[in-house]
């Protein structure tokens, strides 16, 4: 995600809301999950398959998903009296969350591949992996190219191999798709961690 898109979304968090539902209070970054209308949920579902082509995120689709997410963050921010920093990191978390969900349902990765990914992430120590992913996400937010050094790329490659996701002729494409979903997870990790430090 480019810096311009991120700041456009977060700058709008100061806009007034028509309502502040009581059930939005006191749930931290999980608050947003209950804030979407049926129409917004359906639109997010329809946008999912168009979010990524190959290894490229479609900016227009990403921005539209950001617009939808922003309404949920605004609602929670008003109800919980979040300050600008809290709203900013809640936005990061929610963008990562809804993009991960829609990408998982897009068909770009099979159910077996997703299960292998989740199983691999659930076991062992992945601090180095997440450090690399989060650093790449930060670079992308600050208009960097997110390029990794050879050593970092080897860490990710080793993880993909250990997860059984290096599938023959499709290995490169699968690795790119795994990188995308790890990036969305990284956004959530950054947003949740930084949000929690502000309490």
């Amino acid at each position: 995600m480019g810096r311009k898109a991120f700041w456009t979304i977060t700058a709008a968090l100061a806009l007034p809301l028509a309502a502040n539902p009581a059930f939005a209070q006191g749930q931290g970054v999980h608050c947003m999950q209950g804030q979407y209308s049926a129409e917004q949920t359906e639109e997010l579902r329809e946008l999912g398959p168009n979010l990524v082509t190959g290894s490229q995120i479609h900016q227009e689709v990403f921005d539209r998903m950001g617009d939808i997410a922003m309404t949920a963050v605004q609602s929670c921010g008003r109800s919980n009296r979040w300050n600008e920093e809290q709203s900013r990191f809640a936005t990061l978390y929610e963008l990562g969350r809804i993009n991960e969900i829609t990408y998982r349902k897009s068909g770009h990765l099979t159910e077996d591949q997703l299960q292998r990914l989740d199983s691999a992430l659930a076991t062992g120590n992945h601090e180095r992996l997440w450090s690399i992913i989060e650093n790449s996400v930060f670079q992308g937010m600050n208009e960097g190219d997110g390029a990794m050094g050879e050593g970092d790329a080897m860490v990710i490659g080793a993880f993909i191999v250990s997860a059984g996701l290096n599938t023959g002729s499709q290995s490169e494409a699968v690795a790119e798709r795994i990188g995308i979903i790890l990036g969305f997870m990284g956004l959530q990790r950054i947003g949740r961690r930084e949000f929690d430090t502000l309490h």
Side-chain angles (χ1 to χ4, degrees):
M1 174 177 57
R3 178 169 50 189
K4 181 178 179 182
F6 174 62
W7 289 114
T8 298
I9 291 168
T10 55
L13 293 172
L15 296 175
L17 294 176
N20 298 312
F23 65 84
Q25 296 179 1
Q27 301 175 50
V29 293
H30 301 292
C31 170
M32 283 79 74
Q33 295 182 30
Q35 301 302 300
Y36 296 99
S37 67
E39 292 78 10
Q40 288 175 318
T41 300
E42 177 62 18
E43 184 175 359
L44 288 171
R45 187 191 67 78
E46 292 175 354
L47 287 168
N50 302 312
L51 177 61
V52 176
T53 298
S55 62
Q56 298 298 312
I57 294 176
H58 289 173
Q59 193 63 49
E60 288 185 7
V61 175
F62 183 88
D63 289 347
R64 177 57 191 151
M65 291 176 69
D67 289 341
I68 296 170
M70 185 174 63
T71 65
V73 177
Q74 284 180 320
S75 180
C76 290
R78 291 292 185 181
S79 296
N80 293 286
R81 293 188 171 90
W82 290 342
N83 61 32
E84 185 177 347
E85 281 188 292
Q86 289 172 311
S87 295
R88 197 170 291 154
F89 289 117
T91 301
L92 273 186
Y93 171 83
E94 189 63 5
L95 285 173
R97 189 184 74 84
I98 65 171
N99 277 281
E100 180 192 349
I101 290 171
T102 55
Y103 193 63
R104 280 177 176 270
K105 294 179 179 178
S106 69
H108 291 292
L109 289 164
T110 68
E111 286 298 319
D112 178 67
Q113 288 168 338
L114 289 168
Q115 287 175 8
R116 287 175 182 268
L117 171 64
D118 292 337
S119 294
L121 289 173
T123 59
N125 185 329
H126 301 296
E127 288 184 18
R128 176 64 178 145
L129 174 71
W130 286 121
S131 176
I132 293 167
I133 296 298
E134 291 180 21
N135 182 59
S136 180
V137 168
F138 271 123
Q139 287 186 45
M141 286 191 297
N142 290 296
E143 300 296 346
D145 60 9
M148 298 177 185
E150 185 176 344
D152 290 349
M154 288 179 66
V155 170
I156 295 177
F159 169 77
I160 289 171
V161 170
S162 69
L165 291 165
N166 56 323
T167 52
S169 62
Q170 293 294 311
S171 292
E172 186 174 345
V174 171
E176 289 177 345
R177 294 166 189 166
I178 294 298
I180 290 168
I181 199 168
L182 287 175
F184 292 146
M185 291 178 177
L187 269 179
Q188 293 170 77
R189 287 172 59 89
I190 294 166
R192 180 173 53 242
R193 182 179 63 244
E194 297 302 320
F195 181 95
D196 288 347
T197 65
L198 296 170
H199 277 71

